[in-house]
Amino acid sequence: MIDIHSHFLPRITRADAAAADPRAPWLAETGDGVGFIMVGDDRFRPVEARLWDPQVRLAWLDDAGIDVQLACATPIMFGYAWDAAAAATWCARMNDLATEFCAADPRRLKTLAQVPLQDIDAACHEATRARSLGHVGVQIGNHVGMKGLEDPGILDFLRHCAAERMPVLVHPWDMMGDARMKQWMLPWLVAMPAETQLGILGLILSGAFERLPRNLDLVFAHGGGSFAFLLGRVDNAWTHRDIVREDCPQPPSSYCDRFCVDSAIFDAGALRLLVEKMGPTRVLLGTDAPFPLGEQQPGALVTSTFASDATVRDAILTGNAQRVFGLP
Amino acid sequence: MIDIHSHFLPRITRADAAAADPRAPWLAETGDGVGFIMVGDDRFRPVEARLWDPQVRLAWLDDAGIDVQLACATPIMFGYAWDAAAAATWCARMNDLATEFCAADPRRLKTLAQVPLQDIDAACHEATRARSLGHVGVQIGNHVGMKGLEDPGILDFLRHCAAERMPVLVHPWDMMGDARMKQWMLPWLVAMPAETQLGILGLILSGAFERLPRNLDLVFAHGGGSFAFLLGRVDNAWTHRDIVREDCPQPPSSYCDRFCVDSAIFDAGALRLLVEKMGPTRVLLGTDAPFPLGEQQPGALVTSTFASDATVRDAILTGNAQRVFGLP
């Protein structure tokens, strides 16, 4: 079983964070294997040692039955809004720390790099450097300020990743919304899935997939957000409204073979629909561990949903990740 | 076949609109049965005579095989951000014009009223007046500025509607988002379904359903937006994160029996999932006519998806609407 979507955050000190940017996160351990992701004086999120301690992570992989896990930055580490040079230095440092994290068992722990996506040249450089360190792919946010994935610079970065054979996991972050979404984690429940759908639709409706190489491996987190469920609405709009199709020559659903999604959707019916829309070779196990909004029993949903279909089950749990990320 | 979700916009003149508010829409007919919804000098959307001409609408109902259709305001008519007194006058005028629209065949054309929801007393008054005019329910937007449906005033309005036996159709409008969503109707494809999900989750996670009467009939447009597909994510978050469940005593999915959705989802797999989550008595045919993003062949998706299940098919196409809206 290979989990392609999990997060880490290294033991960043407050001084390390402050040296990078006032918005940089740091880790406050409060003892007994728990702590907080902090931003300045503010507690951003309670966390546990699996997030930063590779030995604790490895023990948990044993318990969870995960053979190989890909860990990537917690999105608050992205730094896309910071000074570009400071972000480039930060990303390199985080990627080095990710390599250290994996060194506890490089056969089982793999990483996806982070890059300073506000500076395309620097992002390409860091992706190449990370590849040489052993990172098996890159994680990017679904936008950089007002630039969506269809931004020409970001498309150049994606082309670079294709040329380097670096798969790209797209993770939602910096969520749309307003004061109506202050409580109950609504940005995570409403806006994150919308951000992911927006990322996919930006590539489709801009016609970007017509210009991106077919060997680019793109994977969208959280089952692609609300994309699969709303695909009928999008195809219908494309068919009947000129301004929807003006830059997109083919029906939106025809581009589903250009990307993959993870399985973090938490419902059997939704997962079945996702596999129906994406095809069984384009859904990959992703747990979103070690966060509370992740799958607490890794693989349980896929295993129970496809209990009677070993081919689909094994593809989602293992085979698709082996193919996309070049893993043994 | 009863269509519970269609729109109208009466022949509002530019002077009528200007007298209400600079943001009020008006209708510019350009001949040959087409025209534009205008706001000031700006073309908001191309439209056709079915939107404003009841005779054209009735001829189309014949063609489409729709026995009864509920028409409600196009959301740009809501006026929630205007001066409250001006909006109250406007709503009364629009509701009178809706009654005139239906007078062409009051047996087949029914309306849902609009109300000045920024002023709860005025909104309750207009709902009662509209009931006396023959409106069979009320349509409201999913929010009023920064107030979601869980706002205490809006809950008072919903209680009033329950007491008056006025079902409430909730329609997304005034969509979240930013400059990344300027093109390809992204606000309609991404943010509208997110707004509808946000409306439902606001009621659920605030615990409002614990305080609302069970005889309130709520219907959410566009199949409830992305709600049904993301319900597993929400239940999982409620289970594992204290700040998600702090105001909501039961699992979010347990509240699905407190509201209905329409069928405007444009995909057989998505519709099946919707019926699985909501139950076959809580999905009602809605076309979103006469707009291009609506179902162009009314009832075709429901009919084909449930071709072999007449009970479910007839419930969605007719029976559920008869029950909820008290129609013969």
Side-chain angles (χ1 to χ4, degrees):
Chain A
M1 192 155 80
I2 302 174
D3 174 14
I4 67 104
H5 176 188
S6 78
H7 295 284
F8 96 117
L9 187 136
R11 283 187 166 108
I12 307 163
T13 67
R14 185 165 190 166
D16 285 342
D21 189 275
R23 292 158 287 188
W26 57 282
L27 180 68
E29 294 181 57
T30 52
D32 293 330
V34 295
F36 289 90
I37 300 176
M38 304 289 295
V39 177
D41 291 327
D42 297 326
R43 289 176 168 181
F44 173 72
R45 183 185 294 175
V47 289
E48 47 176 303
R50 281 186 291 160
L51 184 66
W52 66 83
D53 186 326
Q55 297 302 338
V56 178
R57 177 77 68 116
L58 283 165
W60 174 71
L61 292 190
D62 287 339
D63 287 347
I66 296 173
D67 299 302
V68 176
Q69 187 174 55
L70 276 53
C72 59
T74 302
I76 197 168
M77 296 161 62
F78 285 168
Y80 296 166
W82 311 350
D83 170 75
T89 302
W90 167 269
C91 289
R93 175 79 179 127
M94 294 300 117
N95 290 336
D96 290 346
L97 290 169
T99 304
E100 281 181 32
F101 184 83
C102 296
D105 188 344
R107 193 181 50 83
R108 298 185 69 189
L109 289 176
K110 309 281 183 186
T111 57
L112 304 176
Q114 68 176 92
V115 295
L117 200 54
Q118 65 270 61
D119 179 335
I120 298 303
D121 287 343
C124 291
H125 178 268
E126 183 59 24
T128 298
R129 193 188 75 89
R131 184 65 160 153
S132 72
L133 289 176
H135 289 249
V136 299
V138 179
Q139 177 195 214
I140 63 172
N142 72 302
H143 66 109
V144 176
M146 292 300 125
K147 294 179 179 173
L149 297 180
E150 72 279 10
D151 171 76
I154 297 180
L155 295 183
D156 283 342
F157 175 75
L158 295 176
R159 287 186 194 97
H160 176 82
C161 291
E164 295 272 325
R165 307 300 300 135
M166 286 285 263
V168 179
L169 173 66
V170 181
H171 199 288
W173 87 302
D174 186 18
M175 288 84 89
M176 65 178 82
D178 53 39
R180 294 178 292 148
M181 298 166 72
K182 292 274 184 217
Q183 290 178 278
W184 315 309
M185 296 196 78
L186 287 170
W188 280 259
L189 302 178
V190 174
M192 266 200 165
E195 288 287 346
T196 308
Q197 183 207 11
L198 178 59
I200 299 172
L201 288 188
L203 288 178
I204 290 175
L205 295 178
S206 69
F209 279 122
E210 299 290 332
R211 302 185 293 278
L212 284 169
R214 284 211 157 251
N215 69 340
L216 170 65
D217 282 307
L218 272 176
V219 184
F220 287 86
H222 309 137
S226 48
F227 171 78
F229 189 62
L230 300 175
L231 187 52
R233 180 172 178 82
V234 176
D235 267 2
N236 182 65
W238 182 90
T239 303
H240 298 293
R241 193 70 165 89
D242 52 357
I243 57 174
V244 176
R245 66 178 173 265
E246 62 188 355
D247 295 316
C248 175
Q250 302 296 327
S253 56
S254 70
Y255 296 95
C256 286
D257 66 350
R258 300 298 296 277
F259 58 92
C260 299
V261 297
D262 77 18
S263 64
I265 197 80
F266 310 100
D267 179 83
L271 180 61
R272 278 192 295 267
L273 180 67
L274 191 60
V275 171
E276 178 187 317
K277 296 298 168 202
M278 295 300 300
T281 64
R282 297 200 160 267
V283 181
L284 289 66
L285 176 68
T287 63
D288 214 350
F291 294 130
L293 269 60
E295 187 178 29
Q296 303 300 309
Q297 291 186 281
L301 178 67
V302 172
T303 300
S304 61
T305 304
F306 298 104
S308 62
D309 189 337
T311 304
V312 171
R313 189 175 67 237
D314 295 347
I316 297 174
L317 292 179
T318 308
N320 295 340
Q322 289 173 320
R323 184 190 77 244
V324 171
F325 289 95
L327 300 172
Chain B
M1 192 156 81
I2 301 175
D3 173 14
I4 67 103
H5 176 189
S6 78
H7 295 284
F8 96 116
L9 188 135
R11 283 186 165 109
I12 306 163
T13 68
R14 183 164 191 167
D16 286 341
D21 190 275
R23 293 158 287 187
W26 57 283
L27 180 68
E29 294 181 56
T30 52
D32 293 329
V34 295
F36 289 91
I37 300 176
M38 304 290 295
V39 178
D41 291 329
D42 297 326
R43 289 177 167 180
F44 173 71
R45 183 185 294 174
V47 288
E48 47 176 303
R50 282 186 290 160
L51 184 66
W52 67 82
D53 185 327
Q55 296 303 335
V56 178
R57 177 77 68 116
L58 284 166
W60 174 70
L61 292 190
D62 288 338
D63 287 347
I66 296 173
D67 299 301
V68 176
Q69 186 173 57
L70 276 53
C72 59
T74 302
I76 197 169
M77 296 160 63
F78 285 169
Y80 296 166
W82 311 350
D83 169 74
T89 302
W90 167 270
C91 288
R93 174 79 180 127
M94 294 301 116
N95 290 337
D96 290 346
L97 290 169
T99 303
E100 281 181 33
F101 184 83
C102 295
D105 187 343
R107 194 181 49 82
R108 298 185 69 189
L109 289 175
K110 308 282 183 185
T111 57
L112 303 176
Q114 68 175 93
V115 296
L117 200 55
Q118 64 270 62
D119 178 335
I120 299 302
D121 287 342
C124 291
H125 178 268
E126 183 59 23
T128 298
R129 193 188 74 89
R131 185 63 159 156
S132 73
L133 289 175
H135 289 248
V136 299
V138 178
Q139 178 196 212
I140 63 173
N142 73 301
H143 66 108
V144 177
M146 292 300 125
K147 294 179 179 173
L149 296 180
E150 72 279 10
D151 172 75
I154 296 179
L155 294 183
D156 283 343
F157 175 75
L158 294 176
R159 287 186 193 98
H160 177 82
C161 291
E164 295 272 325
R165 308 300 301 133
M166 287 283 264
V168 178
L169 173 67
V170 181
H171 199 289
W173 87 302
D174 186 17
M175 287 83 90
M176 66 178 80
D178 53 40
R180 295 176 292 148
M181 298 165 73
K182 292 277 185 215
Q183 289 178 278
W184 317 309
M185 295 195 80
L186 287 170
W188 280 259
L189 302 178
V190 174
M192 264 199 165
E195 289 286 346
T196 308
Q197 183 206 11
L198 178 58
I200 299 172
L201 288 187
L203 289 177
I204 290 176
L205 296 178
S206 68
F209 279 123
E210 300 290 333
R211 301 184 295 278
L212 284 169
R214 285 211 158 251
N215 69 340
L216 171 65
D217 282 307
L218 272 176
V219 184
F220 287 85
H222 309 137
S226 47
F227 171 78
F229 189 62
L230 299 174
L231 187 52
R233 180 172 178 81
V234 176
D235 268 3
N236 183 64
W238 182 91
T239 303
H240 299 293
R241 193 69 165 92
D242 52 356
I243 56 175
V244 176
R245 64 179 174 265
E246 62 188 355
D247 295 317
C248 175
Q250 302 296 327
S253 57
S254 71
Y255 296 95
C256 286
D257 65 351
R258 300 296 298 276
F259 58 92
C260 300
V261 297
D262 77 18
S263 64
I265 197 80
F266 309 101
D267 179 83
L271 180 62
R272 278 191 297 267
L273 181 66
L274 191 60
V275 171
E276 179 187 317
K277 296 297 168 204
M278 295 300 300
T281 64
R282 297 199 160 267
V283 180
L284 289 66
L285 176 68
T287 64
D288 214 350
F291 294 130
L293 269 59
E295 187 179 28
Q296 303 301 309
Q297 291 186 278
L301 178 66
V302 172
T303 301
S304 61
T305 303
F306 299 104
S308 61
D309 189 337
T311 304
V312 171
R313 188 175 68 238
D314 294 348
I316 297 174
L317 292 179
T318 308
N320 295 340
Q322 289 174 319
R323 184 190 77 244
V324 171
F325 290 94
L327 300 172

